Amino acid sequence: MNTKTPRYHEIDALRVIALAMLIIYHIFISYQPFANTLFFLQYNQLLENYWFLGELMNIWRIPVLFVISGLAVGFLLKRRTVKAVVIDRMMRLVPPLVFGWLIICPIFPAIYAAYHGEDLGYWPNVGHLWFLVNLSSYTILLLPLLALVKKSPENSLIRGMRRVLPLTLIVAFPLFLGLETALSQPPGFSYFPIRYWYGLICYAAGFLFLSTGDAFWTTLRKVCHVALPAAFLLYLGRMGVIEWWLLQANHWTTSFESGFWMLAFLGYGSLLLNQPVASFAYLNKAVFPIYILHMPVQQIVAAQIFPWGLGPEITFLLHALFTLAICGLLYEFVVRNIKLLYPVMGLKAAKPIPPKPMPLPASPALQPAAPALGPRIGQILTIYVLAPLVVLPSIVGAVALSLAGGMSSGIPENPNRVPLSTEPTAFRGHQYQVFETEEPIAWADAKARCEAMGGHLVIIDNQEENDFLTSIAVGNGFYHLGATDQQNEGEWLWVDGTPVQFTNWNPGEPNNHDGDEDYLNAFFDLWPQWNDGPEFANGFVCEWNAVPGAGQKPLQGTGS
């Protein structure tokens, strides 16, 4: 029996491709109308007509990296002990995370501030490296599962998964994703930094898939032919190209689409990339350092080329080429040649080639060389100090968020807030007031609260009324307004049932981002222009056709 562990070359290749796609996606954001809300430099000529490509990738671009990471852990476990796997993961993930938090990621908002003539500052943040926090904690959470599979590779769970293939892939995997989504009710499907448990399911699935052995790869190469058309069909339904109720975007259909895209990507990758390729061997080592560096680099490139005023397509291509080229040069000529950077760039030190043995006189005093003190201290610091500081808060935070019954909207705070009025303000015979809530509020709940006070969510009939709303701080945050296209996508109606005739949409809106934006809202970075948003917001705007009746009770749980 051949006990040698096979090398799954597709894992390395798919990891390179997935991270490269993510880098290109990040560059693409600078050409979308919401770029400034994420502190990306925004080009003044947009590519919102191409955003359908971003929508296609949005719901699976991050989860597939978690699946691939789970596959990689499964591969490692075949050759190492559980303890060795955990140490390897912590040493590869935690030092780059801490270095990025303190050094790399603060550069990104600083460039944004400098470009816009704002005061410079130092803001330590995990930025685009947030998923390293999740990967570190997932490894710890799955320790019992890793130990079980290592001790008993043919346990009942693995045998059961193998027995019901291909249903394990084509049904069970997206079903668990849908269940998590239905339970968590995320305010935005693709805002994965706050979708902790969705990522854990993908990570665990990757590990378990690989643990089933060659049966997984054989089945994956078959089901990808079913997964791809199924994913594309659901995508067309989510985008409203096909209007059929079974394909209408919701938590379940979007979760299944997400799972199918991942199976298609992994399956076709396995079919085409299961042989060693020299370029992927190099890129597999380079792609992680390049990913760590790319965000400040792409921001610097944007600051340099945006003033050229070229067309958006050619600017985007130059943006991508310059970013990738500069990151590649930094890796090749800086990172690779400075050994001190290896730990904080997720690189392993190259194993020294042992010298040709020379005959030595026998000496009883000759002892093996002691391990280097520096790396040993670094490992102790990482495992016993830094890793707990990273892992424990992420697990506690995720559990606390789940027990609290929901997730934050992920909307950044407005740095230019003004105080809200505690009383309604009159305009042309009507009264208006902005209310904020301590927790995200659903549009239907906001509508009910306004009606309970004798009013309704605000209806905007003309530009003058829109301008007036600015004066009462509607541009403060992320607030529900009184229109929706929930019944028929693209058919916007006010809360009184009348069609929306006057409009003031921001360029590129409404775009039904993630197939889950059915409500009119005021978002501070776009106001006084309108935005279509998800079900939850951080407040709402009420309107009364006359002064609210005396003696009505104030809203519960609101503040200004």
Side-chain angles (χ1 to χ4, degrees):
M1 179 178 178
N2 182 14
T3 59
K4 184 179 180 181
T5 302
R7 178 71 185 180
Y8 299 106
H9 300 282
E10 51 265 62
I11 296 178
D12 297 337
L14 288 169
R15 176 173 173 266
V16 169
I17 295 171
L19 282 170
M21 287 169 53
L22 198 52
I23 293 172
I24 298 298
Y25 178 89
H26 283 163
I27 296 170
F28 191 42
I29 288 176
S30 286
Y31 303 83
Q32 302 306 317
F34 55 85
N36 281 321
T37 68
L38 303 173
F39 301 102
F40 284 70
L41 295 186
Q42 182 174 308
Y43 196 45
N44 59 11
Q45 301 178 60
L46 300 178
L47 293 173
E48 67 266 32
N49 291 335
Y50 296 95
W51 183 243
F52 67 93
L53 296 172
E55 289 286 5
L56 187 147
M57 296 172 55
N58 231 352
I59 63 172
W60 62 276
R61 58 188 172 85
I62 295 293
V64 78
L65 281 169
F66 288 128
V67 175
I68 292 170
S69 297
L71 291 171
V73 166
F75 177 71
L76 283 175
L77 194 65
K78 291 180 178 293
R79 300 178 297 163
R80 304 184 186 183
T81 65
V82 173
K83 179 181 178 181
V85 169
V86 172
I87 292 175
D88 177 88
R89 293 298 85 188
M90 295 303 107
M91 295 303 297
R92 295 291 295 276
L93 298 173
V94 174
L97 173 63
V98 175
F99 181 75
W101 173 56
L102 296 173
I103 306 297
I104 300 295
C105 295
I107 300 173
F108 188 80
I111 297 170
Y112 181 90
Y115 186 81
H116 290 283
E118 300 171 359
D119 293 337
L120 295 178
Y122 172 66
W123 302 282
N125 66 93
V126 296
H128 62 294
L129 303 181
W130 62 267
F131 74 95
L132 300 186
V133 178
N134 291 34
L135 285 177
S136 302
S137 60
Y138 293 164
T139 303
I140 302 303
L141 285 175
L142 291 186
L143 268 175
L145 187 59
L146 267 62
L148 172 65
V149 172
K150 186 65 178 180
K151 181 179 180 181
S152 177
E154 289 298 317
N155 62 74
S156 57
L157 174 61
I158 299 302
R159 293 199 309 271
M161 290 180 61
R162 189 185 298 124
R163 187 176 298 118
V164 298
L165 287 170
L167 295 180
T168 301
L169 300 180
I170 209 72
V171 175
F173 177 49
L175 190 64
F176 274 101
L177 298 179
L179 182 62
E180 189 281 335
T181 305
L183 290 174
S184 66
Q185 295 288 311
F189 186 93
S190 63
Y191 194 69
F192 293 108
I194 60 174
R195 301 207 58 193
Y196 184 88
W197 306 112
Y198 196 94
L200 178 61
I201 290 173
C202 293
Y203 188 84
F207 170 71
L208 290 172
F209 288 160
L210 190 126
S211 300
T212 61
D214 290 338
F216 160 66
W217 297 104
T218 302
T219 306
L220 181 64
R221 293 164 191 159
K222 295 177 181 177
V223 302
C224 65
H225 302 304
V226 176
L228 181 60
F232 191 65
L233 188 65
L234 287 166
Y235 165 72
L236 294 177
R238 176 164 59 94
M239 298 300 292
V241 177
I242 298 177
E243 296 184 0
W244 184 28
W245 68 273
L246 282 175
L247 301 178
Q248 187 176 19
N250 57 54
H251 292 321
W252 288 100
T253 57
T254 308
S255 297
F256 268 75
E257 183 193 342
S258 175
F260 289 156
W261 280 124
M262 286 187 271
L263 292 175
F265 177 75
L266 296 170
Y268 283 106
S270 183
L271 278 171
L272 300 173
L273 301 169
N274 62 348
Q275 298 297 323
V277 179
S279 58
F280 279 122
Y282 173 85
L283 290 172
N284 186 51
K285 296 179 180 178
V287 69
F288 191 22
I290 288 175
Y291 186 78
I292 293 171
L293 297 169
H294 85 278
M295 288 288 274
V297 171
Q298 78 172 63
Q299 196 89 312
I300 293 171
V301 170
Q304 297 303 312
I305 69 174
F306 282 6
W308 298 353
L310 301 175
E313 289 86 358
I314 187 64
T315 303
F316 169 72
L317 289 175
L318 291 174
H319 196 172
L321 288 173
F322 287 158
T323 298
L324 293 173
I326 293 171
C327 288
L329 291 172
L330 286 172
Y331 169 74
E332 179 63 28
F333 295 105
V334 178
V335 175
R336 287 189 69 188
N337 292 300
I338 302 178
K339 305 302 183 185
L340 288 175
L341 291 177
Y342 278 29
V344 297
M345 288 291 157
L347 294 176
K348 292 182 177 180
K351 294 181 179 179
I353 300 175
K356 188 175 181 180
M358 299 290 293
L360 295 172
S363 172
L366 191 62
Q367 299 293 331
L373 182 61
R376 180 62 179 161
I377 293 175
Q379 185 179 98
I380 293 173
L381 177 66
T382 299
I383 300 300
Y384 295 105
V385 179
L386 297 179
L389 290 175
V390 168
V391 170
L392 293 179
S394 66
I395 296 175
V396 172
V399 172
L401 200 58
S402 300
L403 294 176
M407 297 183 292
S408 69
S409 64
I411 301 299
E413 287 290 330
N414 182 2
N416 301 309
R417 287 177 52 86
V418 297
L420 293 179
S421 172
T422 58
E423 299 290 338
T425 303
F427 177 75
R428 294 187 176 177
H430 289 208
Q431 300 279 332
Y432 303 81
Q433 187 172 354
V434 177
F435 296 92
E436 289 187 338
T437 55
E438 294 179 359
E439 300 293 337
I441 184 172
W443 186 87
D445 292 336
K447 176 176 177 290
R449 289 197 181 189
C450 286
E451 291 170 355
M453 292 188 294
H456 53 77
L457 281 175
V458 65
I459 296 173
I460 308 173
D461 292 323
N462 50 59
Q463 187 64 52
E464 290 75 17
E465 187 176 15
N466 200 89
D467 293 342
F468 159 75
L469 292 174
T470 302
S471 70
I472 63 168
V474 170
N476 247 9
F478 184 57
Y479 305 135
H480 286 308
L481 307 178
T484 179
D485 70 341
Q486 185 182 24
Q487 295 300 320
N488 295 300
E489 180 62 35
E491 184 181 338
W492 288 88
L493 300 175
W494 293 112
V495 287
D496 63 359
T498 59
V500 174
Q501 295 181 342
F502 166 75
T503 62
N504 195 37
W505 295 108
N506 187 69
E509 305 290 347
N511 60 12
N512 197 30
H513 182 60
D514 277 348
D516 193 28
E517 293 190 329
D518 297 327
Y519 305 95
L520 178 64
N521 63 50
F523 177 36
F524 74 82
D525 212 51
L526 303 180
W527 184 263
Q529 293 178 308
W530 299 355
N531 175 59
D532 65 331
E535 182 181 4
F536 288 86
N538 296 331
F540 52 94
V541 185
C542 289
E543 176 182 0
W544 294 266
N545 297 336
V547 177
Q552 289 177 324
K553 295 180 180 179
L555 289 180
Q556 297 296 317
T558 63
S560 59

